Structure formats: structure tokens, C-alpha cells
Amino acid sequence: QTAREESWDSLHYSEASNASSREEASEEANVEALRSPPAFLTVGDVQRAIHPLRATADRVGQQVERFAESLDRLGSKKQHKFENNCYRLLPLVAEYEAIASRTVDRLRKVYAPAKLNKSLKTFKRKSRSSNDRSMPIHIHEDGDEVGMSNTTIEDLHQWEQEKQTWRLLSLMLQAEYPTKEALPLDTCYNGKAKRPASRGSTHLYSSEHDLWQTFLAEDDVAWEQHTVLEWLKRSAESSGDEIETVVEDLEQASERGAGLNPQGWLFSRLEIKRHKVLRVWPKPLDPNSPGMDTSLVNPDRTKRLVCQLDPDVFSRQGRSLSEEDVFFERAQWRACWEMLRRGRSWETIREWCQSRKDGWRALCMYGDARTSEHGTWQSKILWRRICLKAAKLGGIDEYERAVYGVLGGDLSTAEMVARGCDDFLFAHYNSYLLRSFDSFLEKKFVSINGSIRPSAPNGFQGMSAAQVVDKMLQTESFETESKNPLKSLQASLISKRFGLFVREQGRKWAQLENIEVKSKIMDKPEPQSAKPTFAADFTLESYDFLRILTHMIFIFQELEPDIYESSAAQNIVVAYVDYLGKAGKQQLLPLYASRLPAARAIHCMARQLPFITDSGERNITAELMRQYKMDVKAVLNLQLILILMDMQEPEAENINDYPRPVILDYDYKNDRPKSMRPVKRGFIGRSINGDEQDVLNAFEWFLLLDGLWQETMKSGTILYQYLLESGRLAAARQLSKTVTFSIISLNKTEKLLGRSIDIANSQNTSEDEYNDDHGMRRSTRSRSNQVRRRRRSSSKRMYQAEREILLGYSETFLDFENLMVALDALENWKEIEVQVKNIGDPRHAKSWKKEIQTAHDAVVASMQPLLYGWLQHPADDAEARAIKKIKIGYLPEMILAYNSVLQYAGHVLSREILLQCMDLAATVAAENSDLSEVFVRAGRMSELVDSMAIASKSILCAQEKGQKAGRKWKKVNGASMDIWNVRASSS
């Protein structure tokens, strides 16, 4: 737990450092813009190159880490399991909502003016298109009108929707998995979402408010509908525009200037007054008076104007208001609809109406069982029936009908003004809830008088949540909005089909991952003919949606672990882990991967570890994997296997084919016949591709594990085998330099042998180290040292035995490393040879001879392990077959190259070096050596014979020149050179 907390502290510190760096960069931006671009890459450029999604992670870095930290706290409380109880999960959901809420507040401070400007233009378009009353209004915004980047506005909309989604999740969890514990106020709208308790026995004289509370307490479906309805209202209130903004276009059309004029129907009133003055009429105008139909008309003389100013005059008289007053009336009803849609209290509506001297509108809306605690249920039933009648008969505007439809529970009129998915759901849930309440009253009081019988049929059910959502998804007008990922997610929560949603999106994500190339993190799903229910329109770059969906999966897993462990659900989590890795959030990877099933968690982490190259990050990640109870050993083994599988060539290799490294220059042309081929320049190469670097990084992870000596040596041997068989010599050389046997030994022997040593050193050196470590000190006290000496002797024997065991496991690995050291020495030799030939200045002969001598000595030293007992101790039959191929493929070529180096050095440095060619021939032909068999199996014995013949001729020529110059051969290791003194007879 301490290490985990330290990990979070380091993440917070890193985020603070990044924020400080971004602030400093922002302050210097104006100055830097005037300067020329830098000539060198900055640290930020390098980081962005390493982590291609670093910019995305920085944008939401704090949110990503806070989500992870909250999830970590949930995981640490697994001992407090409650089946089908959401109590423990609600604070987590509330914290996620709080993160989104704080982000929304910050974005609003920056982008609120742009959003207001966009809303004004959008509502103008909507109002102009609302003349067609037969169809709902659905205008989809393109976001290009605000004169700024789409992303700035979309970020604000995205976080607003996310905030609403977390709130919806909290409410649906409480509805679907009720808890008996008292909930914190911040998880239930400060108490508003808390389900009411039954009021006990109700009777004919109970108030409608008490009956409403009882209805919600006893009917689970009604409570769920009420919960969704309240969420829809709150969402509209929190993310919607101001009422004045909504009616701004209609206000301008009413020609009253800024602010709705409180004079009511101003232009109709003026027309009535003018008509009364002209006719000298002291009483109210009578629509049946002669000439009224032709004199009191609009300027175009196409409509008759009203004669009086009571609220229902235009419907009672069948006459029209003046055009300006029509826009005014529409603005008023539009505002009333918006206030009902946002769930504002009747007191707020009354205050708004009275400020405009339209108090009668507020009285028309007084009587809703959800807001009014006064009045009997019988009178409220009659009131709802009147509202239904008003909605059906129609008024001046579709919004007036929609207002009465909402109050009376009518679906068609409220649905008519639905501009989006939320409005559609609001119309349905409001209608079903009120009609269900009427049905509840009818069943409760079956003996009520027919004159006040509710309009809803007995046992009214309406459509289920799933049916309502399906109807919404199939409505063409909402097709674009319903495909929004978060809207689609909200629909799945409302319809209680989140599991289906996860399976469909997990399948789609896997399909997107495998479109161009086969994905390394998830398999391509089998094609399905059935059309998905939730067609969320997202891409592989929808990282915010991926984050939300991943954390919701974890929340539902706490309640129904079996349902959300499908491969499709795992695909979502794996994709999010991959995003975190690309974004440079390596310390978060074990937390999320550990929540997958064991096999998938190992595979997921195995794909991510090669990209973690910093040693500090590796240590932290390894420790976190241990703390989250992951099998670190299995992860490391699998990552190496997976990368090697990725690197396999498409064609199957023939088991009888041997690797043929090209060390000698076969294109070399010389005037001298049968001259030795020189070593090819740069035959190893320097290029290492991405897969090769990944596999090298993967093996470096084994240094972090204490112990596991045998596994480390086995993995390293397999890696060398593959690189050598496939001819990837540059990667193999890099491996031999970065993860040497000495480094591995020094890292692991402290745990295995009690001290950090290189066990490849000689046995005497190891004994000296052991003796120094244990301190063969004599005691100054007067007691016998015999027992202690026996113990030391026994410990030393045990130490040597353990050392020999470790060396036995590592023989093949060491042999492969020696091979790469020799290859590197040969390539280095060739580079120095070329440089010397290019100098051509005899004055520098001493210096370049020294360089050649050093390179020659390195080649000779590195070739010795390959000539005596190389690759003769395979661990098993499979390894024996693999190393046999490598031995046959590499040894002949290297020995021929070695012979070429000796011959060149004999001519350049000292002719005595030529004698080593004969020693090489003797070594190959020795009885206890398998080198000659290797040449025979490789079919290259004739090349060896030719090479030795050329070397022998070189010795003869050198001897002849030496005799002419009066020089004598030196004895090499006490051997005589007289055999080469060949003199032809003069006769």
C-alpha cells in the first residue's frame, strides 16, 4: 500500500510539473513566435515523439489520473462486498461526476461567450424553421459559425454530457440496485432523488400530493420513470441556454426591442383602440357588429383581428392577433415550455410571468401533482382533463399545445416540439408517468363518479423503457444525435441494456483495430449479420468515451461480475490500457490490467511493457504489478514470446536450412588468382527496426526480477536463437552490449549467492571474492576457531556448487554472447583496415599499426571461445536442434573470415602471425574438435582447404623474402619453423 501511495504522489508531482511547464511555455509563446525555429529538438519534442498521445493526455491528464486514483480506492475495499447493493459504488460515481463538473466549470469560464454566440445563431435558425407546425424541429449544429475551432466548443459540450451521464448512472444504480443505507445528499440531488416512503393507508379524502408520494413508493416502474424524468429536467437546466437566449429571435420579431415588453398584446390593443376611436364606440367591440370583418383586419387584409384582449379570445372568436403580437405570444409560450422542460418550480414560473404582466399563464400551469401540494385529487383530475382538451384543440402555437400537453400527460403535442433525443424521452416519460398515476387513482378508488374519472384506461402500462429507446433510435430525425457515443450510452442506461451496449461497442472497437492490419492487442471478431441496437459513432481516437465506458464497466462488474467479463467488454478495457500506454501514463497500466481476467491481464501487460524504457518507470511498474497480484514472471515470458511471434516471417522455414551470414566480401575482385576473400565492411549493420527494439526492451525487463536465473537465461537464449537464425545481427549485437551476462550476473547473484559478482570470472577469482566477503579473520577471543573454519569450508563448498549450477544454466547464453563479441570484433577490424588504406601516409605508419594491432588482438581473443567447445551443452533436444543450425551456419564463415584477418595481419604487422593460420588448421583438424564435422555438414570444407593453401603459400613467400633479407623466423610457443625452409636442388 505504501508503494502504491508513493506512485500516486509521483503522478501528482509529475502532473504539477507538466502544468508548470505548460504555463511557462504559454508566457513565452509571444516572444518565441518572433524568433526563428530552434535548430535542435526540445525535450518536449522528444517526449511527444515517444508518446504520440501525450498532447491528449496532457489535455485531460488530471482527470485521467483522478479517475484512476478513485478506481484504486474502490479496488482496495474488495473485502466490503455487498451483493446487488450500490451503496459502496455511489460515492465513486459521485466523485467521477464531481471531476466532470469541475472541468465543465473551468471550460465555461473560457468558452461561455463563444457558446452563447453559437446558441443565438442556432436558435434563430430554429425559430425561422418552426413555421412548419406539422413537423418537430431538428436542427443539427455544425459548429463552424462561431469563428473558432470546433474542438474548443465540443470540449465543453463533451464534458457537459459526461457530467450528465455520471449523474444518470448514479440514479439508475439507485433505481435498479436499491440500498437500505442512508445515502449522502450529494448522490441524490440533495434529497430530491430519494425515493419517498409510503404514506400508509390512503383514503378518498387524501390530498393528491400524498397519493402521488404513495404512487412513487409502491410502483417501481413509476419511480424509475420519475427518476429519468427528473434527470432530463436537470440536464436541460444545467446545459441549456438562458430563457432570454431561447426567445431572443421571437422577441426581435415582435418589434419590442431588447427585453420582453410587459404590455402584453401591444399592437392588437392599438388596433382595437384605433377602431373604437374611428367608430366612436364606447363599449367593447362586438365581433358580430356590421363591418367588423372588413374593417378590423391586418395590414394585408388577409386575417381578421381579435376584438377583445382576454387570453382565449383568438380561439373563442376564431380571429387572429396582429403579426407582432403573434411573435410575442409564441415567445411567451416558448419560454413557458422551456421552464417546464427544465423542471423549474411553479413559484419561479409565476414570478417570471408576473414580471411580464401575464400572471394568468402561471395560473394555467398551477395544478401539477409533482409541484403543487394543494387541492384534492378529484379537482386535479379535472384540471388535467382540461389541459388535455386544450392541447388537442390547439392554440396559437405548437409550444402552447406542448405546455398543456405536458401538464395533461398528452404525448403527441409534447413530442411535436421535441428537438432532440432528450426532448423525445421527456415527452414519453412525462406522458406515461401522468397516465399511470391516473390509472393508479382509478384502481385505488373504483367507485368514483364518472364525471371525474381519469382519462387513462384502467391498468395503463405504456411502452417499456427499452421500447421507448428503440423508437427513439429508429426515428430518422434523431439518427445523427442518437449515434453520439454518450447519447447512445445514456440510452443504454435508461433502457437497462448496458451489457448489450458494451458487447456491441467492444465488438466494434475490435473491428476498428483490425481494419488495416491485424491488431496486436485484440483479435478480430467474427462477422455478425444482425444490426446492432446501439450504433454509437466513435473512432479509435474517441478516448474520452473510452475512459467513461471503461470505468462504467468496472462499476457494473462490482454488481454483476459474470455479465461484464465477455471478450467484448475486455476489449474496451484493453483499448483503454493501450491508450494510457501511448499517452505515457505507464504507472496506471497495472491498475487497469489487473481488473481483467488473469490470462487477458497477462497478455495486456505483456503488450505494454516493451514500450516502457525508463529504468525508474520499469521498477515502479514491476512493483505495482506485484501489488495488484499479477504474475510478473508470466507477463515477462509472454511479452518476449509475443514479440518473437510478431517478428516471424510469413513463410515457414525449412528445418534443414541453415542461416548464412555474409561476413566475407564475395563481390571482392583481385588480380591475384585464388586470393583470400576479405571481411565485408559493415556486414552486421546498424539498423534496428521497431519490433527488434521492442524485443530488446522486453528482455531488459528480466533484470528487474530477483532470482529467476534459469528463466532469464532461457529467455535470452531463445532471443539469441531467433535473432541469429533470422540474420538480425544488429539487434543481436545490441543485445550483447546492453544486457550482457556480466550485467545479469551482477544484478541477480546478490539474491542468489549473497553478494553481487560476475560468476563468469575464473573460479580462483570467485574464491577470493568469497573469502574477502566472509572475512577469514581470526578471533582475538580465547576460544577455538575450528568449528567456524569447518562452517566456512562447508559454506564455501555450497557457494561453489551453487555457482556451478548457475553457470550450467547459462552456458548457451554465454556462447551466443561470445559469438556476437567475435562478430563485432571482425566488423571493427574491417573498419580500421579501410581507414588505414585511406590514410596512405607513411609518416603515420606507427599510429595505424598500433590500431591494427589492437583490432587484431581483439579478433584473436574473441575467436578463442568459438574454437574450443562452443555450443556443446544444449539444455534439451529442441535447443540442440536450434544451436546445431546456428553452429553450421556461422562457424565456417567466421573461421574463414578469421583466417583472412590472420593473413592480412601477417603481411601488415608481423609475418609470425601467419603461423597462427597453421594453428587454426590444426585446431579444426583436432580429434577432440567438431569443427571439421561442421565444415563438412555446411559443405564448405573445400573453401577451408583453399584458404589454408593460400595461407601456406603466404608463409613460403614470407620465408623466402626473409632469407634474402637475412632475417630469421621467431619461434612461436617454442615451435620450430624449419619445416618451411624448402630449397630446391640445383642439379
Side-chain angles (χ1 to χ4, degrees), residues 754-781:
R755 66 168 301 158
S756 179
I757 62 169
D758 181 2
I759 62 173
N761 291 337
S762 64
Q763 182 176 356
N764 293 334
T765 303
S766 300
E767 290 181 359
D768 293 341
E769 292 173 349
Y770 178 86
N771 292 336
D772 293 340
D773 180 54
H774 286 75
M776 302 293 288
R777 301 181 303 271
R778 296 183 178 180
S779 175
T780 58
R781 298 181 180 180

Side-chain angles (χ1 to χ4, degrees), residues 564-628:
Y564 298 99
E565 290 190 358
S566 64
S567 60
Q570 296 169 23
N571 287 343
I572 299 295
V573 180
V574 170
Y576 187 64
V577 173
D578 186 60
Y579 158 65
L580 293 175
K582 293 177 180 177
K585 304 291 184 181
Q586 286 88 355
Q587 295 184 26
L588 304 181
L589 302 182
L591 167 64
Y592 289 91
S594 64
R595 289 185 162 269
L596 292 165
R600 193 73 187 269
I602 292 173
H603 184 277
C604 179
M605 284 303 298
R607 283 301 189 186
Q608 299 301 323
L609 293 190
F611 303 104
I612 305 177
T613 57
D614 181 75
S615 59
E617 291 284 349
R618 285 176 173 173
N619 286 318
I620 294 175
T621 304
E623 181 59 29
L624 288 174
M625 284 194 291
R626 296 187 188 99
Q627 292 195 16
Y628 289 117

Side-chain angles (χ1 to χ4, degrees), residues 411-542:
L411 175 59
S412 59
T413 53
E415 191 178 10
M416 185 68 68
V417 297
R419 301 189 312 273
C421 294
D422 287 357
D423 290 344
F424 179 89
L425 294 174
F426 173 82
H428 278 264
Y429 272 74
N430 178 79
S431 175
Y432 296 158
L433 187 60
L434 289 181
R435 298 183 71 182
S436 297
F437 180 55
D438 283 349
S439 178
F440 167 80
L441 292 177
E442 183 177 10
K443 289 188 295 184
K444 194 83 171 175
F445 308 108
V446 293
S447 61
I448 59 177
N449 189 282
S451 62
I452 57 174
R453 184 177 299 277
S455 58
N458 188 13
F460 172 79
Q461 295 296 328
M463 299 172 66
S464 66
Q467 290 172 330
V468 173
V469 168
D470 288 342
K471 181 180 178 182
M472 179 191 72
L473 297 176
Q474 295 167 8
T475 302
E476 184 178 357
S477 303
F478 306 129
E479 181 179 2
T480 301
E481 184 183 2
S482 63
K483 289 184 178 181
N484 179 283
L486 287 184
K487 283 297 179 185
S488 187
L489 174 57
Q490 293 170 4
S492 72
L493 293 173
I494 292 173
S495 61
K496 296 183 180 180
R497 292 181 292 181
F498 180 72
L500 173 63
F501 179 82
V502 169
R503 290 192 295 272
E504 290 180 348
Q505 310 322 309
R507 284 182 51 81
K508 181 177 178 180
W509 203 284
Q511 291 172 349
L512 293 176
E513 287 278 2
N514 288 274
I515 285 181
E516 297 181 357
V517 295
K518 187 178 185 304
S519 173
K520 295 181 180 180
I521 60 175
M522 61 185 72
D523 296 330
K524 184 176 182 179
E526 294 295 330
Q528 287 188 349
S529 57
K531 184 179 179 180
T533 303
F534 301 98
D537 187 13
F538 61 86
T539 66
L540 294 179
E541 287 74 36
S542 302

